[in-house]
Amino acid sequence: MVSRRARRRRIPLAQGADVVARDNGRWTVAGAGEDTWVVRRRKTRAEREQSGTDATSVRLGDSGAQLLLDPAALRDERKLQLAAAEYLCHQHVAAMLEFYDVNCVFDVGANAGQYARRLRRHGYTGRIVSFEPTAGTFAKLQKAAADDPDWWVYHYGLGREDTASTIHTGWNSMNSVLPPSDYGKDRYLRFAKSETEEIQIRRLDGMMEKALDGITDPRPFLKMDTQGYDLEVFAGAGERVGEFVGLQSEVAVLRLYEGSPGMSEAIAAYEAGGFGITGMYPVTREANTGRVIEFDCVMMRADAAPATD
């Protein structure tokens, strides 16, 4: 390396391996597996003092992966666990979509398109059909999907019947057809006040022909995140639920919404529809007790799995 700028310092890593940097005091090095290191720059003294020591690398079993942990992150176990669960859930869903040859994802409760964008980042290239009932959020969803010709969006909610309904809004991304439960009101101050909006609801089975148009040998996957309304969406698939090779649903251990099903009721309904659990990932936990409030539940239809040698 040839440089004309400032004085350089050599930071030893291992025999025959060094990092050359301008300011040794502002860089840290952590091992991340054999012959691999992570070099990080800390911008301020306060950041260095907060972190305390260099990051450590943890081997993830026999996977060949290494988890790099910053001491500052380890101080908040709940936050770290939920972040890890979120990543693992997305990675698992992407793997299931690939393994089961999914070519259409029904994204119900799409919000502004966060789920669909994550699918694209994880390599899914098939069709995505997103449903979002609220006007302001749907406008954001339309904008997010504008440059993706295989990402279709519909300004509907999905449910047990074709109807008009009212949805509670003003709860950030937690808008729901259902009112908050007493537990939900105690947990989230945002539930104290809400606005309402008139929305249109459609049955899923009535939307499938249009959504799957042009796909040879459709192998759809159903993702639901409707704040307590997932079983109503599922019921609206009718007999066509058997066409789905898998699903993802947010199931509640502690109910945030009045009238929403508990986890055991929801999973029993999905199992009766022919699906089996492949992954459970905590979404939210109580900070004062550690109890899980909701899980992301991923389920696949075993008889839809591709034949293997």
Side-chain angles (χ1 to χ4, degrees), residues 150-165:
D150 220 10
W151 180 4
W152 301 2
V153 297
Y154 290 97
H155 190 194
Y156 298 125
L158 295 186
R160 189 178 293 268
E161 58 184 348
D162 293 341
T163 187
S165 186

Side-chain angles (χ1 to χ4, degrees), residues 91-106:
Q91 189 274 338
H92 174 63
V93 169
M96 291 296 97
L97 297 185
E98 181 178 4
F99 181 69
Y100 279 80
D101 297 321
V102 169
N103 49 23
C104 185
V105 174
F106 285 73

Side-chain angles (χ1 to χ4, degrees), residues 5-308:
R5 295 181 58 195
R7 182 178 177 181
R8 304 287 173 167
R9 297 187 181 184
R10 188 178 300 275
I11 306 172
L13 299 179
Q15 185 175 0
D18 299 322
V19 170
V20 179
R22 232 178 32 237
D23 183 356
N24 188 24
R26 297 178 67 184
W27 296 87
T28 62
V29 177
E34 187 177 358
D35 296 331
T36 306
W37 299 269
V38 175
V39 181
R40 300 186 306 157
R41 183 174 184 177
R42 294 204 180 108
K43 295 182 179 181
T44 66
R45 178 178 295 177
E47 288 173 334
R48 294 197 295 273
E49 292 175 350
Q50 181 182 12
S51 182
T53 60
D54 291 346
T56 58
S57 179
V58 178
R59 182 181 177 185
L60 295 183
D62 296 327
S63 67
Q66 297 280 337
L67 181 63
L68 192 65
L69 295 174
D70 189 300
L74 290 173
R75 297 186 188 118
D76 191 338
E77 181 270 347
R78 173 174 162 271
K79 184 176 181 180
L80 177 64
Q81 291 283 335
L82 291 179
E86 182 180 30
Y87 170 78
L88 291 173
C89 181
H90 298 324
Q91 189 274 338
H92 174 63
V93 169
M96 291 296 97
L97 297 185
E98 181 178 4
F99 181 69
Y100 279 80
D101 297 321
V102 169
N103 49 23
C104 185
V105 174
F106 285 73
D107 173 22
V108 185
N111 201 259
Q114 300 94 317
Y115 185 85
R117 288 196 295 266
R118 283 194 292 262
L119 288 183
R120 293 297 192 223
R121 287 197 296 270
H122 280 274
Y124 174 71
T125 59
R127 183 174 298 172
I128 302 172
V129 184
S130 294
F131 297 87
E132 172 54 43
T134 61
T137 306
F138 179 75
K140 296 177 182 177
L141 176 64
Q142 269 189 315
K143 184 176 181 180
D147 296 327
D148 189 335
D150 220 10
W151 180 4
W152 301 2
V153 297
Y154 290 97
H155 190 194
Y156 298 125
L158 295 186
R160 189 178 293 268
E161 58 184 348
D162 293 341
T163 187
S165 186
T166 299
I167 191 169
H168 299 273
T169 63
W171 299 337
N172 296 333
S173 62
M174 298 175 69
N175 303 333
S176 178
V177 173
L178 302 175
S181 65
D182 289 340
Y183 173 77
K185 292 176 184 177
D186 288 340
R187 175 169 175 78
Y188 291 111
L189 295 177
R190 70 185 75 171
F191 285 158
K193 296 181 180 180
S194 69
E195 301 173 355
T196 58
E197 180 179 331
E198 293 296 316
I199 62 170
Q200 295 296 314
I201 294 178
R202 297 290 181 268
R203 281 180 59 91
L204 177 56
D205 55 9
M207 300 297 300
M208 289 178 65
E209 184 174 355
K210 181 184 295 185
L212 297 172
D213 183 47
I215 298 179
T216 303
D217 186 22
R219 294 181 63 80
F221 178 88
L222 175 60
K223 166 265 179 181
M224 299 172 287
D225 184 2
T226 59
Q227 303 303 313
Y229 212 64
D230 287 10
L231 267 192
E232 296 297 300
V233 175
F234 187 77
E239 293 183 358
R240 297 198 68 173
V241 75
E243 298 177 33
F244 288 90
V245 302
L247 65 82
Q248 178 180 347
S249 175
E250 195 171 81
V251 297
V253 181
L254 302 171
R255 303 183 200 191
L256 296 174
Y257 303 97
E258 195 68 37
S260 64
M263 181 175 71
S264 59
E265 179 184 351
I267 290 177
Y270 301 146
E271 289 179 334
F275 301 92
I277 296 173
T278 63
M280 294 280 286
Y281 305 91
V283 177
T284 48
R285 282 171 53 194
E286 288 183 330
N288 58 332
T289 68
R291 294 189 301 175
V292 174
I293 299 172
E294 295 167 311
F295 283 100
D296 265 330
C297 179
V298 183
M299 307 181 76
M300 305 303 294
R301 191 182 296 281
D303 60 11
T308 58

